[in-house]
Amino acid sequence: MKIVKPTLILDKQKCLNNIKSMAAKAAANQVIFRPHFKTHQSAEVAEWFREYNVTAITVSSVEMAEYFAAKGWEDITIAFPVNILQMPAINALARRISLNLLVESEVVIKFLNLHLQHNCGVFVKIDTGYHRTGIPVADITFVEHLAQMAEDSPKLHFKGLLVHNGNTYYAASAEEAKKLTLASLGNLANHVPYLLAKYPRMLVSIGDTPGCSIVNDFGIAGEIRPGNFVFYDLMQLELGSCNFGQIALIMVCPVVATHKERNELVIYGGAVHLSKDFLIRQDTMIFGAVVAFHGNGWSNPIQGAYVKSLSQEHGIVKLHPSHFPAFHTGDLIGIVPVHSCLTVSCMKKYYTLDGMIINTF
Amino acid sequence: MKIVKPTLILDKQKCLNNIKSMAAKAAANQVIFRPHFKTHQSAEVAEWFREYNVTAITVSSVEMAEYFAAKGWEDITIAFPVNILQMPAINALARRISLNLLVESEVVIKFLNLHLQHNCGVFVKIDTGYHRTGIPVADITFVEHLAQMAEDSPKLHFKGLLVHNGNTYYAASAEEAKKLTLASLGNLANHVPYLLAKYPRMLVSIGDTPGCSIVNDFGIAGEIRPGNFVFYDLMQLELGSCNFGQIALIMVCPVVATHKERNELVIYGGAVHLSKDFLIRQDTMIFGAVVAFHGNGWSNPIQGAYVKSLSQEHGIVKLHPSHFPAFHTGDLIGIVPVHSCLTVSCMKKYYTLDGMIINTF
């Protein structure tokens, strides 16, 4: 494959290893492995999960559920608060597949009671500290009230509690991310037994890749829904969720100019390719790490090199002065994305190292 | 048009006014108006420029040049350093249309001398302070050297100097953006006459929307290439490049949950829709302003309301407590994007208020 413009490259073997490893961890914990497909967004990569007996998946929108349902996935949780404006599409899905919805208010359950035409599972969204969505876990009587509303509903079936402990993404270290995850699990362990007494078959479903990667014991959880682990990325590396060898995706970019006076390269590869997500390392914004790309893989990160800024199509790569002479206009270099989910979403397609194209939804 | 998911809506009349106003300013200054099409990215919107006798355009990639060339645009500047890996595509374009390239090094001119098969104009990229790409304007003898290399080349024709004074985007105020623009123009005025004596027909082409919007006299410039002005956005409003009534594009998003205890709404509308670009206002990161959307337009910004965070599909809107009761799950609200170019690039299509779909390249 001749690369002449920003091209997203997947190391399939690393991706398969990531899937195998998370599937093994789920099996060892005897929890359901319901991977989130919002990262790879692809029917092709989805097939790679079947070897690990994955049949139940998670998505983040009705549209993504439609895409995977059309590709033969018949047990889908939409881990996003029900958008009541999409009721016709939700009904069409619920007719065909085993669909789980996410609720956090009376108003949505009442709406579903009026408009849902087919049976659906329902999870109550629980907030254990992220404060994005959900009911605070300490409000267990309100959670119980919603659970009972769902149980009393003609079409809904209360499946359990769903948590996305996304505050791990703001952790300063792996140790802190681990503490946040254990705190979230501990919080659930304190309050959930009260509900379990009433709904013994209810599940506790937990989400985020940092938590699922860092802890070995999922405690009270009966299901895990990590997504990003399939590729990992620079943010996960920084958080300590993965090691560098597990990152399965890089953007290969042409060097279009070199600026010796400031040890910088200009690359064709910008915000429309990588997304504008960044991390902060020692007060410096970092939009990607830099690797050497050789057709069948890539090097470790080049020390002292990073993407310092992104415009629409331009990226600026800062180098250590000693490395500058090795780079030339017309070279291809690899950029490790900060956030692989958004990079995939920007690009819409990627290629394996042996040139197979992978299209997304 | 029934909106049920994040949908990008264009007020065509505002857009036409923006085009008219910038075309009039160019005419008053007797400069060439070569608008950058990287913001709207659409053949449809491109047609709206023809009424103002626009025939020459700017794009930011070879791929975008191919798209607009296929739509009948025959005079295109690719305002991005030549990516020598795309030489076959550049040759194919140069054969069909009047193409201008951007260079900033000997190595690229030498490469073009060897591989270019058809005539091309060439601009030397000049840096007047942004330090992203280009030759510092004070290095006028090196600029002259590149200009002469181009003149001596069998296929290249030296067209002039091209500046993108993108540091206006980092200005703290309209006053500062104006100062930066005038400083850039002054810098050019100091050094360019030396070159003009040798190349009397050379053009000075300037870029950025803040500069072209804020100053009334383009000084030594003979061409302007603003792009973002076609829609403007929250960043431009913050910089003082436009007033609110000139912003032509909003994202309409469903409200999927409300959280009274923190005066927040959860909307379906995240980083994959709006992009992750933000601005900082009083130490707070802002990912969008909030307006009331009524089918044929939208309100002024709702005071105290802003998008405080974006995940992949979720947005969190912070409200003033007094406004909270007016919003409900299932409502549609409008979000003014921080950076319209990236939002368009995320969405790939948008709709006029009367429901006409506009596809991008």
Side-chain angles (χ1 to χ4, degrees):
Chain A
M1 185 169 60
K2 187 165 164 56
I3 296 176
V4 301
K5 58 185 177 182
T7 303
L8 196 53
I9 298 289
L10 176 68
D11 186 322
K12 180 176 174 178
Q13 191 54 55
K14 287 180 181 170
C15 174
L16 293 175
N17 293 347
N18 293 340
I19 296 171
K20 182 177 182 177
S21 163
M22 194 61 82
K25 198 171 188 175
N29 274 274
Q30 296 181 288
V31 299
I32 299 166
F33 182 35
R34 183 186 280 277
H36 206 311
F37 279 7
K38 73 174 182 170
T39 302
H40 62 75
Q41 300 183 32
S42 164
E44 184 69 38
V45 176
E47 290 305 310
W48 304 347
F49 283 83
R50 298 217 191 253
E51 192 182 325
Y52 301 98
N53 301 315
V54 170
T55 55
I57 67 168
T58 310
V59 300
S60 52
S61 67
V62 170
E63 297 87 318
M64 212 184 288
E66 289 170 334
Y67 169 81
F68 284 110
K71 303 292 182 179
W73 293 88
E74 297 185 336
D75 182 351
I76 301 181
T77 295
I78 304 177
F80 188 90
V82 172
N83 173 14
I84 62 174
L85 299 180
Q86 290 183 298
M87 207 58 224
I90 291 170
N91 273 321
L93 277 166
R95 189 177 62 78
R96 297 171 54 194
I97 65 165
S98 174
L99 186 69
N100 296 315
L101 301 174
L102 194 56
V103 300
E104 58 179 272
S105 68
E106 286 187 349
V107 62
V108 169
I109 298 180
K110 286 178 184 167
F111 187 93
L112 291 172
N113 282 346
L114 283 176
H115 299 281
L116 196 61
Q117 293 162 354
H118 307 277
N119 291 332
C120 271
V122 69
F123 283 92
V124 176
K125 182 67 190 287
I126 298 296
D127 180 4
T128 59
Y130 184 31
H131 304 325
R132 182 178 69 176
T133 59
I135 314 294
V137 65
D139 254 355
I140 200 71
T141 53
F142 186 60
V143 175
E144 180 185 8
H145 171 64
L146 293 184
Q148 193 54 45
M149 276 184 78
E151 276 297 272
D152 295 342
S153 151
K155 295 279 190 291
L156 291 174
H157 163 60
F158 174 59
K159 292 272 292 188
L161 309 184
L162 189 144
V163 181
H164 174 72
N165 191 38
N167 52 1
T168 54
Y169 281 92
Y170 300 90
S173 64
E175 203 46 48
E176 191 189 330
K178 186 171 184 173
K179 269 189 201 157
L180 288 168
T181 303
L182 295 176
S184 170
L185 288 170
N187 228 331
L188 289 164
N190 285 340
H191 292 95
V192 168
Y194 169 80
L195 279 186
L196 272 173
K198 190 163 173 187
Y199 310 105
R201 294 176 57 193
M202 68 169 257
L203 262 182
V204 174
S205 174
I206 63 169
D208 63 299
T209 282
C212 293
S213 300
I214 291 170
V215 304
N216 287 315
D217 181 344
F218 297 129
I220 200 161
E223 177 177 278
I224 61 169
R225 308 180 323 279
N228 180 284
F229 78 96
V230 69
F231 299 153
Y232 287 116
D233 53 32
L234 201 61
M235 181 82 81
Q236 299 289 346
L237 179 68
E238 197 78 1
L239 285 170
S241 314
C242 66
N243 58 53
F244 183 76
Q246 292 177 288
I247 299 177
L249 200 66
I250 64 164
M251 186 80 77
V252 176
C253 298
V255 174
V256 296
T258 63
H259 286 273
K260 187 169 171 25
E261 70 286 5
R262 44 184 191 264
N263 296 299
E264 287 178 3
L265 309 175
V266 183
I267 61 172
Y268 179 18
V272 298
H273 309 104
L274 286 159
S275 97
K276 206 81 188 254
D277 234 343
F278 62 92
L279 54 87
I280 292 178
R281 202 186 276 164
Q282 293 165 339
D283 292 333
T284 302
M285 285 171 87
I286 310 266
F287 294 90
V290 183
V291 296
F293 174 68
H294 45 87
N296 52 359
W298 54 84
S299 72
N300 280 327
I302 296 171
Q303 290 302 308
Y306 62 95
V307 180
K308 79 163 210 182
S309 66
L310 294 174
S311 320
Q312 187 161 342
E313 322 264 353
H314 299 75
I316 303 296
V317 170
K318 196 75 166 177
L319 295 172
H320 187 275
S322 65
H323 293 139
F324 184 82
F327 294 89
H328 304 94
T329 297
D331 289 351
L332 291 174
I333 63 170
I335 305 297
V336 183
V338 169
H339 190 167
S340 58
C341 313
L342 294 188
T343 302
V344 166
S345 183
C346 284
M347 296 300 287
K348 310 285 186 216
K349 65 181 175 195
Y350 39 103
Y351 297 84
T352 61
L353 285 165
D354 52 9
M356 186 182 83
I357 188 168
I358 296 181
N359 289 299
T360 68
F361 102 96
Chain B
M1 185 169 61
K2 184 164 164 56
I3 295 175
V4 301
K5 58 185 178 182
T7 303
L8 196 54
I9 297 289
L10 177 67
D11 186 322
K12 180 176 174 179
Q13 192 53 54
K14 288 181 180 171
C15 174
L16 293 174
N17 293 348
N18 293 340
I19 296 171
K20 182 177 183 176
S21 164
M22 192 61 81
K25 198 170 189 177
N29 274 273
Q30 295 182 288
V31 299
I32 299 167
F33 181 34
R34 183 187 280 276
H36 206 310
F37 279 7
K38 73 173 181 171
T39 303
H40 62 76
Q41 300 184 34
S42 164
E44 184 70 38
V45 176
E47 290 305 310
W48 304 346
F49 284 82
R50 299 217 192 254
E51 191 182 327
Y52 301 97
N53 302 316
V54 170
T55 55
I57 66 168
T58 309
V59 300
S60 51
S61 68
V62 171
E63 297 87 320
M64 213 184 288
E66 290 170 333
Y67 168 81
F68 284 110
K71 303 291 182 180
W73 293 88
E74 297 185 337
D75 183 351
I76 301 181
T77 295
I78 304 177
F80 188 89
V82 172
N83 173 15
I84 62 175
L85 300 180
Q86 290 183 298
M87 208 58 224
I90 291 170
N91 273 321
L93 278 166
R95 190 177 62 78
R96 296 172 54 193
I97 65 166
S98 173
L99 186 69
N100 297 315
L101 301 174
L102 193 56
V103 299
E104 58 178 273
S105 68
E106 286 187 348
V107 63
V108 169
I109 298 179
K110 286 177 182 167
F111 187 94
L112 291 172
N113 282 346
L114 284 175
H115 299 280
L116 196 61
Q117 294 162 353
H118 307 278
N119 291 332
C120 271
V122 69
F123 283 93
V124 176
K125 182 69 192 286
I126 299 295
D127 180 5
T128 58
Y130 184 30
H131 305 324
R132 183 178 68 174
T133 60
I135 315 291
V137 64
D139 255 355
I140 199 73
T141 54
F142 185 60
V143 174
E144 181 185 8
H145 171 63
L146 294 183
Q148 194 54 46
M149 277 184 78
E151 276 298 271
D152 295 342
S153 152
K155 295 279 189 292
L156 292 174
H157 163 60
F158 174 59
K159 291 271 291 188
L161 309 184
L162 188 144
V163 180
H164 174 71
N165 192 38
N167 51 0
T168 52
Y169 281 93
Y170 300 91
S173 64
E175 203 46 48
E176 191 189 331
K178 187 171 184 175
K179 269 190 200 158
L180 288 167
T181 303
L182 295 176
S184 169
L185 289 169
N187 228 331
L188 289 164
N190 284 340
H191 293 96
V192 168
Y194 168 79
L195 280 185
L196 272 173
K198 191 163 173 187
Y199 310 105
R201 294 176 56 194
M202 69 169 256
L203 261 182
V204 174
S205 174
I206 63 169
D208 62 300
T209 282
C212 293
S213 300
I214 291 170
V215 305
N216 287 315
D217 181 344
F218 298 129
I220 200 162
E223 176 177 280
I224 61 169
R225 310 179 322 279
N228 179 283
F229 78 96
V230 67
F231 298 154
Y232 288 115
D233 54 32
L234 201 60
M235 180 82 80
Q236 300 289 345
L237 179 68
E238 197 78 1
L239 285 170
S241 314
C242 66
N243 59 52
F244 182 77
Q246 292 176 288
I247 299 178
L249 199 66
I250 63 163
M251 186 80 75
V252 176
C253 298
V255 174
V256 296
T258 62
H259 286 272
K260 187 167 170 28
E261 69 286 5
R262 43 184 191 263
N263 295 299
E264 287 179 3
L265 309 175
V266 184
I267 61 171
Y268 180 18
V272 299
H273 309 104
L274 287 159
S275 97
K276 206 79 189 254
D277 235 343
F278 62 91
L279 53 86
I280 292 178
R281 200 185 280 163
Q282 292 166 339
D283 292 333
T284 302
M285 287 169 85
I286 309 267
F287 294 89
V290 182
V291 296
F293 174 68
H294 45 88
N296 52 358
W298 53 83
S299 72
N300 279 328
I302 296 171
Q303 290 304 307
Y306 62 95
V307 180
K308 78 163 211 182
S309 66
L310 294 173
S311 320
Q312 186 162 340
E313 322 265 353
H314 299 75
I316 304 296
V317 169
K318 195 76 167 177
L319 295 173
H320 187 275
S322 65
H323 293 139
F324 184 83
F327 294 90
H328 305 94
T329 298
D331 287 352
L332 291 174
I333 64 170
I335 305 298
V336 183
V338 169
H339 190 166
S340 59
C341 312
L342 294 188
T343 302
V344 166
S345 183
C346 284
M347 295 300 288
K348 310 286 186 216
K349 65 182 176 193
Y350 39 102
Y351 297 83
T352 60
L353 285 165
D354 52 9
M356 186 181 83
I357 187 167
I358 296 181
N359 289 299
T360 68
F361 101 96

